[in-house]
Amino acid sequence: MSHATTDTEFDIIINGAGPAGLSLACSLAGSGLRTLVVEQHSLEDLRCPAADGRDIALTHLSRQLLEQLGVWQRIPAGAIHPIRKAQVLDGTSPYVLDFDNAKFGVDALGFLVANHDIRRALIEQALTLPGTEIRTDTTVSGVHTDAAAAHVQLSGERSVRAALLVAADSRFSQTRRWMGISADMHDFGRAAIVCRMQHERDNRGIAFECFHYGRTLAVLPLRPQLASIVVTVSSDQADAILAQDEHTFSADIRQRFDDRLGEMQLVGQRHAYPLVAVHANRFVARRCALVGDAAVGMHPVTAHGFNLGLRGQATLAAEIRRARAVRGDIGAPAVLERYQSTQRRVTRPLYAGTNHIVGLFTDDRAPAKVLRKLALRFGNHCPPIKRMIANQLIERHAANNLFLRLPFLR
Ligand SMILES: Cc1cc2nc3c(=O)[nH]c(=O)nc-3n(C[C@H](O)[C@H](O)[C@H](O)COP(=O)(O)OP(=O)(O)OC[C@H]3O[C@@H](n4cnc5c(N)ncnc54)[C@H](O)[C@@H]3O)c2cc1C
């Protein structure tokens, strides 16, 4: 980048006011640090985010983190939907691998909240923070770091400077590229089509994950007769499915779901997302850290994406605060390295595990089909495995462990 015009001084510049960037801004509240969040969209877009069809499954850890940030309280109670039970089905078999909240001593396995409700709550909270500036309608158009600072070029020819730059600019992060950080990217050649549907029978708070042949279908409980639907299909079929009239689409989902919930009807629009998973090979570079999808963009099947993003930003915020408490350099390599090693220990196995699950459950060759059936039965009949999977879904123990290490969040 060219070093244009004057550099303004901040402690931290966050590129991207998505869920990860805004969570980090909230986590730094009260630290005394001057934070600039840069976002290409308008303030109006942030305050009234459009529905994007995503209902995000949040773990207990994520709920606790959002509560600590004062964000959870800003989500209307009626927009938080507990998942009581979960069932995994394979192909046309009626056999299910099931998870029951009562067996794991929790009131819910997790909580579904629309992405636009999360984003609205985050921006409302972030706008109340002293010491945090949110600059909207502004694009980061280049970055450069040296031993002393990160220099960030903004649209409109302005350049700003900070001790630390945080990239929260999505899984296709341009900052990651500018910083020369490579990433493992996996294009599944599939798309997720998401929408909401009303249905005749009560879903009883059960989340269904159906690994059908050729397609997978998730039916996630919102209200007793309203569900969030995620269909993953081969990318070449996505346009045709989006173009189906409402009646044909609804009837097809009802039939694929084996009529479990009776009549089903599309509510609102369908949205499609290409399924590309990304894991950055480093989460830090000189005076730069990656958070959220810029660090790890997950396949949505295991619902880890934002949960990991929240956890990562909390870890980074804790390291920044620790450095600040001793008047240290918040962008020092040792600070960033501690963030990176803690977060990568968590993300690497989940990223690899999720991609293997997707590989197995979308492979329709005979040996994979046999293995899938065995996997579901093994999950049901091996209590330690079942508990391990449930603990991943719930993240209750992770909550305890993380809070031990993040004293500021108590
Ligand atoms: C279908 C689907 C279902 C999902 N389900 C779940 C789930 O159940 N549970 C879960 O935990 N996660 C889920 N996720 C993942 C979750 O949605 C993401 O992890 C999360 O939204 C990522 O947030 P982020 O802030 O990292 O990135 P983003 O939401 O992509 O935000 C990036 C922000 O950066 C801004 N930006 C980018 N470049 C620039 C620039 N140069 N200058 C200024 N601004 C810039 C963008 O405008 C945007 O506001 C799902 C994802 C999908 C697609």
Short mmCIF file of all heavy atoms in Angstrom, two decimals, residues 15-21 38-41 46 54-58 112 115 119 138-141 168-171 174 178 192 194 230 273 291-294 300 303-308, ligand 1:
data_model
loop_
_atom_site.label_atom_id
_atom_site.label_comp_id
_atom_site.label_asym_id
_atom_site.label_seq_id
_atom_site.Cartn_x
_atom_site.Cartn_y
_atom_site.Cartn_z
N ASN A 15 -10.78 -4.80 11.46
CA ASN A 15 -11.35 -4.71 10.11
C ASN A 15 -12.55 -5.64 10.03
O ASN A 15 -12.41 -6.86 9.98
CB ASN A 15 -10.29 -5.10 9.06
CG ASN A 15 -10.85 -5.02 7.64
OD1 ASN A 15 -11.92 -4.46 7.42
ND2 ASN A 15 -10.12 -5.58 6.69
N GLY A 16 -13.76 -5.06 10.03
CA GLY A 16 -14.98 -5.86 9.89
C GLY A 16 -15.86 -5.77 11.12
O GLY A 16 -15.42 -6.12 12.22
N ALA A 17 -17.09 -5.27 10.92
CA ALA A 17 -18.06 -5.20 12.04
C ALA A 17 -19.09 -6.31 11.89
O ALA A 17 -20.29 -6.09 12.03
CB ALA A 17 -18.73 -3.83 12.08
N GLY A 18 -18.61 -7.50 11.58
CA GLY A 18 -19.48 -8.69 11.62
C GLY A 18 -19.56 -9.17 13.06
O GLY A 18 -19.07 -8.51 13.98
N PRO A 19 -20.16 -10.33 13.27
CA PRO A 19 -20.29 -10.85 14.64
C PRO A 19 -18.95 -10.97 15.37
O PRO A 19 -18.87 -10.65 16.56
CB PRO A 19 -20.94 -12.22 14.43
CG PRO A 19 -21.68 -12.09 13.14
CD PRO A 19 -20.88 -11.16 12.29
N ALA A 20 -17.90 -11.40 14.68
CA ALA A 20 -16.61 -11.60 15.37
C ALA A 20 -15.98 -10.26 15.74
O ALA A 20 -15.54 -10.06 16.87
CB ALA A 20 -15.67 -12.42 14.49
N GLY A 21 -15.95 -9.33 14.77
CA GLY A 21 -15.31 -8.03 15.03
C GLY A 21 -16.03 -7.27 16.13
O GLY A 21 -15.39 -6.69 17.03
N VAL A 38 -13.71 -0.83 11.56
CA VAL A 38 -13.97 -0.32 10.21
C VAL A 38 -14.92 -1.29 9.49
O VAL A 38 -14.70 -2.51 9.50
CB VAL A 38 -12.65 -0.21 9.40
CG1 VAL A 38 -12.93 0.40 8.02
CG2 VAL A 38 -11.63 0.62 10.15
N GLU A 39 -15.97 -0.74 8.90
CA GLU A 39 -16.96 -1.59 8.22
C GLU A 39 -17.38 -0.95 6.91
O GLU A 39 -17.72 0.23 6.86
CB GLU A 39 -18.17 -1.81 9.14
CG GLU A 39 -19.36 -2.48 8.50
CD GLU A 39 -19.07 -3.86 7.89
OE1 GLU A 39 -18.44 -4.69 8.56
OE2 GLU A 39 -19.46 -4.07 6.73
N GLN A 40 -17.41 -1.78 5.88
CA GLN A 40 -17.76 -1.26 4.55
C GLN A 40 -19.25 -0.93 4.42
O GLN A 40 -19.63 -0.09 3.63
CB GLN A 40 -17.32 -2.24 3.46
CG GLN A 40 -17.99 -3.60 3.55
CD GLN A 40 -17.29 -4.65 2.69
OE1 GLN A 40 -16.30 -4.37 2.02
NE2 GLN A 40 -17.78 -5.87 2.74
N HIS A 41 -20.09 -1.60 5.20
CA HIS A 41 -21.53 -1.34 5.09
C HIS A 41 -21.92 -0.11 5.92
O HIS A 41 -21.15 0.38 6.73
CB HIS A 41 -22.32 -2.57 5.53
CG HIS A 41 -22.21 -3.69 4.54
ND1 HIS A 41 -21.72 -4.93 4.87
CD2 HIS A 41 -22.48 -3.72 3.21
CE1 HIS A 41 -21.72 -5.69 3.79
NE2 HIS A 41 -22.16 -4.98 2.77
N LEU A 46 -26.07 -2.02 9.62
CA LEU A 46 -25.64 -2.71 10.84
C LEU A 46 -26.76 -2.70 11.89
O LEU A 46 -27.00 -3.69 12.57
CB LEU A 46 -24.39 -2.06 11.44
CG LEU A 46 -23.10 -2.16 10.63
CD1 LEU A 46 -21.94 -1.57 11.42
CD2 LEU A 46 -22.77 -3.59 10.25
N ARG A 54 -30.03 -17.43 8.19
CA ARG A 54 -29.21 -18.26 9.09
C ARG A 54 -29.75 -18.23 10.50
O ARG A 54 -29.90 -17.15 11.08
CB ARG A 54 -27.79 -17.69 9.19
CG ARG A 54 -26.93 -18.00 8.04
CD ARG A 54 -25.53 -17.49 8.33
NE ARG A 54 -25.12 -16.57 7.29
CZ ARG A 54 -23.91 -16.05 7.19
NH1 ARG A 54 -23.00 -16.32 8.11
NH2 ARG A 54 -23.60 -15.23 6.23
N ASP A 55 -30.06 -19.38 11.06
CA ASP A 55 -30.33 -19.47 12.49
C ASP A 55 -29.12 -20.13 13.11
O ASP A 55 -28.74 -21.24 12.72
CB ASP A 55 -31.62 -20.27 12.73
CG ASP A 55 -32.84 -19.44 12.36
OD1 ASP A 55 -33.07 -18.43 13.04
OD2 ASP A 55 -33.53 -19.78 11.38
N ILE A 56 -28.48 -19.43 14.02
CA ILE A 56 -27.19 -19.87 14.54
C ILE A 56 -27.40 -20.69 15.81
O ILE A 56 -28.05 -20.22 16.75
CB ILE A 56 -26.29 -18.65 14.84
CG1 ILE A 56 -26.13 -17.76 13.60
CG2 ILE A 56 -24.93 -19.09 15.38
CD1 ILE A 56 -25.37 -18.36 12.45
N ALA A 57 -26.86 -21.90 15.82
CA ALA A 57 -26.93 -22.74 17.03
C ALA A 57 -25.78 -22.33 17.94
O ALA A 57 -24.61 -22.47 17.57
CB ALA A 57 -26.82 -24.21 16.65
N LEU A 58 -26.12 -21.81 19.10
CA LEU A 58 -25.10 -21.34 20.05
C LEU A 58 -24.95 -22.33 21.20
O LEU A 58 -25.94 -22.89 21.69
CB LEU A 58 -25.51 -19.96 20.60
CG LEU A 58 -25.60 -18.84 19.56
CD1 LEU A 58 -26.29 -17.62 20.14
CD2 LEU A 58 -24.20 -18.48 19.06
N LEU A 112 -30.91 -21.67 19.50
CA LEU A 112 -30.94 -21.14 18.13
C LEU A 112 -31.35 -19.67 18.16
O LEU A 112 -32.36 -19.32 18.78
CB LEU A 112 -31.94 -21.92 17.28
CG LEU A 112 -31.48 -23.32 16.86
CD1 LEU A 112 -32.66 -24.20 16.47
CD2 LEU A 112 -30.48 -23.23 15.70
N ASN A 115 -29.28 -15.06 12.89
CA ASN A 115 -28.04 -14.29 12.76
C ASN A 115 -28.29 -12.79 12.82
O ASN A 115 -27.53 -12.04 13.45
CB ASN A 115 -27.36 -14.67 11.43
CG ASN A 115 -25.91 -14.27 11.37
OD1 ASN A 115 -25.20 -14.33 12.38
ND2 ASN A 115 -25.46 -13.82 10.22
N ARG A 119 -26.55 -10.04 15.31
CA ARG A 119 -25.82 -8.87 14.79
C ARG A 119 -26.41 -7.57 15.32
O ARG A 119 -25.68 -6.64 15.67
CB ARG A 119 -25.82 -8.91 13.26
CG ARG A 119 -25.03 -10.11 12.73
CD ARG A 119 -24.99 -10.15 11.23
NE ARG A 119 -24.37 -8.95 10.70
CZ ARG A 119 -24.57 -8.48 9.47
NH1 ARG A 119 -25.37 -9.12 8.66
NH2 ARG A 119 -23.97 -7.40 9.07
N THR A 138 -16.97 2.55 5.14
CA THR A 138 -15.52 2.71 4.94
C THR A 138 -14.91 1.33 4.68
O THR A 138 -15.18 0.39 5.41
CB THR A 138 -14.87 3.31 6.21
OG1 THR A 138 -15.55 4.52 6.53
CG2 THR A 138 -13.39 3.59 6.02
N THR A 139 -14.10 1.28 3.64
CA THR A 139 -13.48 0.00 3.27
C THR A 139 -11.99 0.04 3.58
O THR A 139 -11.34 1.05 3.31
CB THR A 139 -13.68 -0.26 1.76
OG1 THR A 139 -15.07 -0.25 1.49
CG2 THR A 139 -13.10 -1.59 1.33
N VAL A 140 -11.49 -1.04 4.17
CA VAL A 140 -10.04 -1.16 4.32
C VAL A 140 -9.51 -1.57 2.94
O VAL A 140 -9.91 -2.60 2.39
CB VAL A 140 -9.69 -2.23 5.38
CG1 VAL A 140 -8.20 -2.54 5.35
CG2 VAL A 140 -10.12 -1.75 6.76
N SER A 141 -8.62 -0.75 2.39
CA SER A 141 -8.17 -1.04 1.03
C SER A 141 -6.70 -1.47 0.97
O SER A 141 -6.18 -1.74 -0.10
CB SER A 141 -8.40 0.17 0.13
OG SER A 141 -7.79 1.31 0.70
N ALA A 168 -11.17 -9.24 10.93
CA ALA A 168 -12.44 -9.95 11.18
C ALA A 168 -13.28 -9.77 9.92
O ALA A 168 -14.46 -9.45 9.98
CB ALA A 168 -13.14 -9.36 12.40
N ASP A 169 -12.62 -9.95 8.78
CA ASP A 169 -13.24 -9.58 7.50
C ASP A 169 -13.65 -10.79 6.67
O ASP A 169 -13.46 -10.78 5.46
CB ASP A 169 -12.32 -8.63 6.72
CG ASP A 169 -10.91 -9.15 6.54
OD1 ASP A 169 -10.55 -10.13 7.21
OD2 ASP A 169 -10.15 -8.59 5.73
N SER A 170 -14.19 -11.81 7.34
CA SER A 170 -14.84 -12.97 6.71
C SER A 170 -13.86 -14.06 6.27
O SER A 170 -12.66 -13.86 6.26
CB SER A 170 -15.70 -12.56 5.50
OG SER A 170 -14.92 -12.53 4.33
N ARG A 171 -14.45 -15.19 5.86
CA ARG A 171 -13.59 -16.33 5.51
C ARG A 171 -12.77 -16.06 4.25
O ARG A 171 -11.77 -16.72 4.01
CB ARG A 171 -14.41 -17.61 5.40
CG ARG A 171 -15.40 -17.71 4.28
CD ARG A 171 -16.19 -19.01 4.37
NE ARG A 171 -17.02 -19.03 5.57
CZ ARG A 171 -17.54 -20.12 6.12
NH1 ARG A 171 -17.29 -21.30 5.58
NH2 ARG A 171 -18.28 -20.05 7.19
N GLN A 174 -9.46 -10.46 2.97
CA GLN A 174 -8.44 -9.82 2.15
C GLN A 174 -7.23 -9.46 3.02
O GLN A 174 -6.09 -9.53 2.56
CB GLN A 174 -9.05 -8.56 1.50
CG GLN A 174 -8.22 -7.92 0.42
CD GLN A 174 -7.88 -8.86 -0.73
OE1 GLN A 174 -8.73 -9.59 -1.21
NE2 GLN A 174 -6.63 -8.82 -1.17
N TRP A 178 -3.26 -9.88 2.39
CA TRP A 178 -2.29 -8.77 2.44
C TRP A 178 -1.16 -9.09 3.40
O TRP A 178 -0.03 -8.64 3.21
CB TRP A 178 -2.99 -7.48 2.87
CG TRP A 178 -3.82 -6.82 1.81
CD1 TRP A 178 -3.53 -6.74 0.47
CD2 TRP A 178 -5.07 -6.16 1.99
NE1 TRP A 178 -4.52 -6.05 -0.18
CE2 TRP A 178 -5.48 -5.68 0.72
CE3 TRP A 178 -5.88 -5.91 3.09
CZ2 TRP A 178 -6.66 -4.97 0.52
CZ3 TRP A 178 -7.06 -5.20 2.90
CH2 TRP A 178 -7.44 -4.75 1.63
N ALA A 192 -25.41 -24.57 0.73
CA ALA A 192 -26.43 -24.72 1.78
C ALA A 192 -27.57 -23.78 1.43
O ALA A 192 -27.36 -22.58 1.23
CB ALA A 192 -25.85 -24.37 3.14
N VAL A 194 -30.88 -22.22 2.95
CA VAL A 194 -31.49 -22.06 4.28
C VAL A 194 -32.79 -21.27 4.18
O VAL A 194 -32.93 -20.38 3.34
CB VAL A 194 -30.52 -21.38 5.27
CG1 VAL A 194 -29.34 -22.26 5.59
CG2 VAL A 194 -30.03 -20.03 4.75
N VAL A 230 -32.03 -26.34 6.77
CA VAL A 230 -30.76 -26.22 6.04
C VAL A 230 -30.66 -27.45 5.12
O VAL A 230 -30.59 -28.58 5.61
CB VAL A 230 -29.53 -26.21 6.99
CG1 VAL A 230 -28.25 -25.95 6.20
CG2 VAL A 230 -29.71 -25.20 8.11
N TYR A 273 -25.81 -20.42 0.32
CA TYR A 273 -24.41 -20.12 0.67
C TYR A 273 -23.51 -21.20 0.08
O TYR A 273 -23.75 -22.39 0.32
CB TYR A 273 -24.23 -20.12 2.20
CG TYR A 273 -25.00 -19.01 2.86
CD1 TYR A 273 -26.32 -19.21 3.30
CD2 TYR A 273 -24.45 -17.75 3.02
CE1 TYR A 273 -27.03 -18.19 3.89
CE2 TYR A 273 -25.17 -16.73 3.61
CZ TYR A 273 -26.47 -16.95 4.04
OH TYR A 273 -27.17 -15.92 4.61
N VAL A 291 -9.37 -13.16 13.54
CA VAL A 291 -10.43 -13.73 14.38
C VAL A 291 -11.64 -14.10 13.51
O VAL A 291 -11.75 -13.68 12.37
CB VAL A 291 -10.90 -12.77 15.52
CG1 VAL A 291 -9.80 -12.48 16.51
CG2 VAL A 291 -11.51 -11.49 14.96
N GLY A 292 -12.55 -14.86 14.10
CA GLY A 292 -13.78 -15.24 13.41
C GLY A 292 -13.49 -16.08 12.18
O GLY A 292 -12.52 -16.84 12.13
N ASP A 293 -14.33 -15.91 11.17
CA ASP A 293 -14.18 -16.71 9.95
C ASP A 293 -12.87 -16.41 9.23
O ASP A 293 -12.40 -17.22 8.44
CB ASP A 293 -15.36 -16.45 9.00
CG ASP A 293 -16.60 -17.26 9.38
OD1 ASP A 293 -16.65 -17.79 10.51
OD2 ASP A 293 -17.54 -17.35 8.56
N ALA A 294 -12.28 -15.25 9.46
CA ALA A 294 -10.99 -14.95 8.83
C ALA A 294 -9.93 -15.95 9.31
O ALA A 294 -9.01 -16.29 8.57
CB ALA A 294 -10.56 -13.52 9.17
N PRO A 300 -21.10 -25.56 8.00
CA PRO A 300 -22.09 -25.36 9.07
C PRO A 300 -22.65 -26.63 9.69
O PRO A 300 -23.36 -26.54 10.70
CB PRO A 300 -23.21 -24.57 8.38
CG PRO A 300 -23.00 -24.71 6.93
CD PRO A 300 -21.57 -25.07 6.70
N ALA A 303 -22.17 -26.75 13.25
CA ALA A 303 -22.58 -25.50 13.90
C ALA A 303 -21.51 -24.91 14.82
O ALA A 303 -21.80 -24.43 15.90
CB ALA A 303 -23.89 -25.73 14.69
N HIS A 304 -20.26 -24.95 14.38
CA HIS A 304 -19.18 -24.45 15.23
C HIS A 304 -18.73 -23.04 14.87
O HIS A 304 -18.04 -22.40 15.65
CB HIS A 304 -17.95 -25.36 15.13
CG HIS A 304 -18.07 -26.61 15.92
ND1 HIS A 304 -18.42 -26.62 17.24
CD2 HIS A 304 -17.86 -27.90 15.58
CE1 HIS A 304 -18.45 -27.86 17.68
NE2 HIS A 304 -18.11 -28.65 16.69
N GLY A 305 -19.07 -22.54 13.67
CA GLY A 305 -18.45 -21.33 13.14
C GLY A 305 -18.39 -20.15 14.10
O GLY A 305 -17.31 -19.75 14.56
N PHE A 306 -19.54 -19.57 14.40
CA PHE A 306 -19.52 -18.40 15.27
C PHE A 306 -19.15 -18.78 16.70
O PHE A 306 -18.53 -17.98 17.42
CB PHE A 306 -20.88 -17.70 15.23
CG PHE A 306 -20.93 -16.46 16.08
CD1 PHE A 306 -19.93 -15.50 16.02
CD2 PHE A 306 -21.98 -16.25 16.97
CE1 PHE A 306 -19.97 -14.35 16.81
CE2 PHE A 306 -22.03 -15.10 17.77
CZ PHE A 306 -21.02 -14.16 17.69
N ASN A 307 -19.49 -20.00 17.12
CA ASN A 307 -19.09 -20.42 18.46
C ASN A 307 -17.56 -20.36 18.61
O ASN A 307 -17.04 -19.88 19.61
CB ASN A 307 -19.59 -21.84 18.73
CG ASN A 307 -21.10 -21.89 18.87
OD1 ASN A 307 -21.67 -21.24 19.74
ND2 ASN A 307 -21.76 -22.65 18.02
N LEU A 308 -16.87 -20.82 17.56
CA LEU A 308 -15.40 -20.75 17.60
C LEU A 308 -14.92 -19.31 17.54
O LEU A 308 -13.95 -18.92 18.19
CB LEU A 308 -14.80 -21.53 16.44
CG LEU A 308 -14.75 -23.04 16.58
CD1 LEU A 308 -14.18 -23.66 15.31
CD2 LEU A 308 -13.90 -23.44 17.79
C1 LIG B 1 -25.72 -21.43 6.33
C2 LIG B 1 -24.87 -21.11 7.53
C3 LIG B 1 -25.22 -21.60 8.78
C4 LIG B 1 -24.44 -21.33 9.90
N1 LIG B 1 -24.81 -21.86 11.10
C5 LIG B 1 -24.03 -21.65 12.18
C6 LIG B 1 -24.38 -22.21 13.45
O1 LIG B 1 -25.40 -22.87 13.59
N2 LIG B 1 -23.55 -21.96 14.51
C7 LIG B 1 -22.41 -21.22 14.38
O2 LIG B 1 -21.72 -21.03 15.38
N3 LIG B 1 -22.07 -20.68 13.20
C8 LIG B 1 -22.84 -20.88 12.10
N4 LIG B 1 -22.49 -20.33 10.90
C9 LIG B 1 -21.24 -19.53 10.83
C10 LIG B 1 -21.42 -18.06 11.20
O3 LIG B 1 -22.49 -17.49 10.48
C11 LIG B 1 -20.10 -17.34 10.93
O4 LIG B 1 -19.08 -18.02 11.61
C12 LIG B 1 -20.10 -15.87 11.38
O5 LIG B 1 -21.12 -15.14 10.78
C13 LIG B 1 -18.77 -15.23 10.98
O6 LIG B 1 -18.69 -13.92 11.47
P1 LIG B 1 -17.45 -12.99 11.10
O7 LIG B 1 -17.66 -11.70 11.83
O8 LIG B 1 -16.16 -13.71 11.27
O9 LIG B 1 -17.56 -12.77 9.52
P2 LIG B 1 -18.68 -12.06 8.64
O10 LIG B 1 -20.03 -12.29 9.19
O11 LIG B 1 -18.42 -12.53 7.24
O12 LIG B 1 -18.38 -10.50 8.76
C14 LIG B 1 -17.28 -9.88 8.12
C15 LIG B 1 -17.51 -8.38 8.10
O13 LIG B 1 -16.37 -7.73 7.58
C16 LIG B 1 -16.77 -6.70 6.67
N5 LIG B 1 -15.66 -6.49 5.71
C17 LIG B 1 -15.09 -7.42 4.91
N6 LIG B 1 -14.06 -6.87 4.22
C18 LIG B 1 -14.01 -5.55 4.58
C19 LIG B 1 -13.16 -4.48 4.21
N7 LIG B 1 -12.15 -4.63 3.32
N8 LIG B 1 -13.37 -3.25 4.76
C20 LIG B 1 -14.37 -3.08 5.67
N9 LIG B 1 -15.21 -4.08 6.06
C21 LIG B 1 -15.02 -5.31 5.53
C22 LIG B 1 -18.03 -7.29 6.01
O14 LIG B 1 -18.84 -6.29 5.43
C23 LIG B 1 -18.69 -7.96 7.22
O15 LIG B 1 -19.54 -7.08 7.92
C24 LIG B 1 -23.26 -20.56 9.76
C25 LIG B 1 -22.89 -20.07 8.51
C26 LIG B 1 -23.68 -20.34 7.40
C27 LIG B 1 -23.27 -19.81 6.06
#
